[in-house]
Amino acid sequence: MRIGIGIDTGGTYTDAVIYDFDQKEILHSAKSLTTRDNLSKGIGGALDGLSKDLLKQAELVSLSTTLATNACVEEKGGRGKLIFIGADREVVDRTGKLYGLPDSREIFFVEGEVSLSGEIVKEPDWDKFVKDCKEQLKDVDAVAVVQQAGVWNHECETKAKVLIEKNYGLNTICGHELFSDLNYIKRGASALLNARLIPVIAEFLESIKYALEARGISAPVVIVRGDGSLMSERFTTVRPVETLLSGPAASVKGGVELTLEQDCLIIDMGGTTTDLAIIQDGIPVKAENGVAVGKWRTFVKAVYIDTFGLGGDSAIRYNRFGTPIELLSARVVPLCIAAATWPIVTDKLELLVKSGISSSNDAGDFFYLVKEPTNPSYYTEMEMALCQALKTEPRIPSELAAELQIKPYQLPLERLEKEGIIMRCGLTPTDIMHVKGDFDRFDRKASRLGVEYAAKYLRITADQLADLVYEKVKFTLYANILRISLAHTYPDFKSKGVPVEFDRLIRKNWDAAKTSMNKNLLNVDFSIPYTLVGIGAPIHVFLPDVAKALHTHYVIPENASVANALGAVVGNISATTVVEIHQEQDQPYIVFGKSRNYYTMDMDEALELAKTEAREVARIEALNRGAVGDIIVTLDIEGAAFPSKSLDSVVTIKVKATANGRILI
């Protein structure tokens, strides 16, 4: 019997399974709260729910996580710095924000130029570069270096990396090490995101290592990439951006494994986000041009997964003078969970309700200290004072403001929240589920008090508020399923977005689905022929009504709540590389290789050079990711000759090699 352990660390829960590779079945499963202040506690809690004897027999530990995805959605992460060599600042100003880049004043621009044929036209002034780095790289965790034409010649990227690591000891990644795609703005955004995620994933891997060693588990560790394949622990520390959509990709594999549905939508509702993937003929649809998460548009190749901010821990915001209930994409700790950890939360909520004072939104939220700042000099005196005030227990804004002698709206919360130093607790759908009796794992009294406080402000009953939240969750799920389905069916909607008129139509259809009374002159009814496969702890509460409104059926499989952990352990290694051949009129064919460029006047020779280069690079990449045994490499060739304004024709040929290997022999 060959045993593997699958672990998924989500924003709210950490799941674990013991899997029998020979019988292809789950032997044990367990679930524990994710402990963001110390991830090893939550991971250890899940492992402790499994058979100790089987744990020590494990030959492999495979991990999936939503931490990188959640960091993008919640705008959290380390302090990364992007260095652009040869970039046009005006182009960056005009288009950078479309891909998630910060203001250009936060980017380090360096002069340098590489021609379209891969020749260095102008090399940076390296002495000046090293000197300028002292100011540019202060207070930075990691660095991304991207040359405007670095996919054709990456010598300058590589030299910049060597100089930074030698003189400043900072973790540095080059754009060409991550992606071979041309759009340097998007490449820059992807590389910067990689730098920001390095401390996030490093903390995760340290927690995993600690939890495994404490339980005598010595099996090798691998991590799920966004395309559902696996990579080694060492590889992950360098390329954490490839864990984007790791958790959702694992849930897709797990959902397909559990249901064997050939045409379906996999809907994974977690604590922070809901992820939706499309399965056609048993194969997940892939993202053609890289994935987008939150504000970031990247070149990360992955299963096509649409992630939107909706989960059990979505922050509920209420307003008496507009839309009464809104669900924010930001995750907060549910009041019921906070009170289970700190009973004083319930006491303070009771005092708030009894006070007779009602206010909107965060007046009833709590804040607690997740971790102390590692470098106090990075923060203001007021930020440090706020951290000091949270050392003993969670507090509401009015308490903090009184201690710091400022108004509540002056509290310096934003940066501390974004960097994960402090965490917010507030009213969430998980609390509403406790009030309605659909979930009862934590402190129901705290949830009820939070609902009473919000309902009092809105001048409605607690039951009415709970119904409004359920209605909001269901409609948000319904609307996003339709938005994604429309975009997949009609490509214009994917590139340009679904027109606002459709939003109104979607709303009308949802309202009509809840009643048999419909007196519209024209009825447009949406239906989806695909099965809705529900994954994740809260999904069973909301999916039935959504499926009914879409005139389809749904499946919530056994072990649905640990599908991510199952998906993590059933994957293998896959690595893809693309080598491009380029020729203009009577000029030589240029083969843009990984380590060097090749020039030849013979087309057949250029093609053979490209094939050899692509095969070898893909094979080495698979080995670096942890493949063992025989590695199978397949080739795919795309070619085109097209007119040029100044030349008779331009030839571009792409040779794509995909290497597949096993993680276990």
Side-chain angles (χ1 to χ4, degrees), residues 376-493:
S377 64
Y378 288 0
Y379 301 92
T380 66
E381 287 186 18
M382 191 62 73
E383 286 173 326
M384 292 304 298
L386 189 145
C387 291
Q388 183 67 29
L390 291 175
K391 274 191 173 182
T392 55
E393 63 186 34
R395 294 189 168 191
I396 57 176
S398 59
E399 290 179 304
L400 288 169
E403 179 158 337
L404 299 181
Q405 298 182 341
I406 57 177
K407 300 292 185 184
Y409 66 83
Q410 295 175 313
L411 288 169
L413 301 169
E414 184 177 1
R415 183 163 70 151
L416 294 172
E417 279 193 85
K418 279 188 175 181
E419 296 186 2
I421 303 296
I422 65 173
M423 187 72 191
R424 185 186 295 255
C425 312
L427 191 63
T428 68
T430 297
D431 290 301
I432 306 302
M433 290 168 67
H434 275 73
V435 170
K436 279 183 163 286
D438 290 320
F439 192 44
D440 60 358
R441 184 168 180 174
F442 303 104
D443 191 325
R444 185 172 184 268
K445 183 179 179 181
S447 295
R448 180 176 54 78
L449 289 167
V451 170
E452 287 179 11
Y453 182 77
K456 185 174 183 179
Y457 170 77
L458 290 174
R459 299 174 184 172
I460 59 177
T461 67
D463 286 344
Q464 287 173 324
L465 186 142
D467 289 341
L468 283 173
V469 173
Y470 265 32
E471 163 72 8
K472 189 72 174 181
V473 173
K474 291 174 185 178
F475 173 70
T476 303
L477 192 56
Y478 171 85
N480 276 284
I481 290 173
L482 282 178
R483 174 183 59 79
I484 293 158
S485 300
L486 283 165
H488 181 70
T489 306
Y490 303 102
D492 280 354
F493 288 170

Side-chain angles (χ1 to χ4, degrees), residues 597-611:
N597 297 338
Y598 303 89
Y599 302 85
T600 177
M601 296 300 296
D602 186 83
M603 173 64 192
D604 291 336
E605 184 182 5
L607 192 57
E608 285 305 312
L609 284 168
K611 287 179 180 179

Side-chain angles (χ1 to χ4, degrees), residues 91-104:
V91 173
V92 175
D93 283 333
R94 192 168 62 250
T95 65
K97 283 186 169 55
L98 298 175
Y99 298 96
L101 286 179
D103 188 285
S104 64

Side-chain angles (χ1 to χ4, degrees), residues 599-653:
Y599 302 85
T600 177
M601 296 300 296
D602 186 83
M603 173 64 192
D604 291 336
E605 184 182 5
L607 192 57
E608 285 305 312
L609 284 168
K611 287 179 180 179
T612 301
E613 176 83 0
R615 281 196 197 97
E616 185 61 12
V617 171
R619 189 186 68 82
I620 292 172
E621 183 81 352
L623 288 171
N624 288 337
R625 291 180 184 182
V628 296
D630 294 333
I631 295 174
I632 299 171
V633 182
T634 58
L635 291 177
D636 184 32
I637 300 173
E638 298 176 2
F642 51 90
S644 169
K645 290 181 180 179
S646 58
L647 304 170
D648 291 338
S649 68
V650 174
V651 175
T652 298
I653 297 173

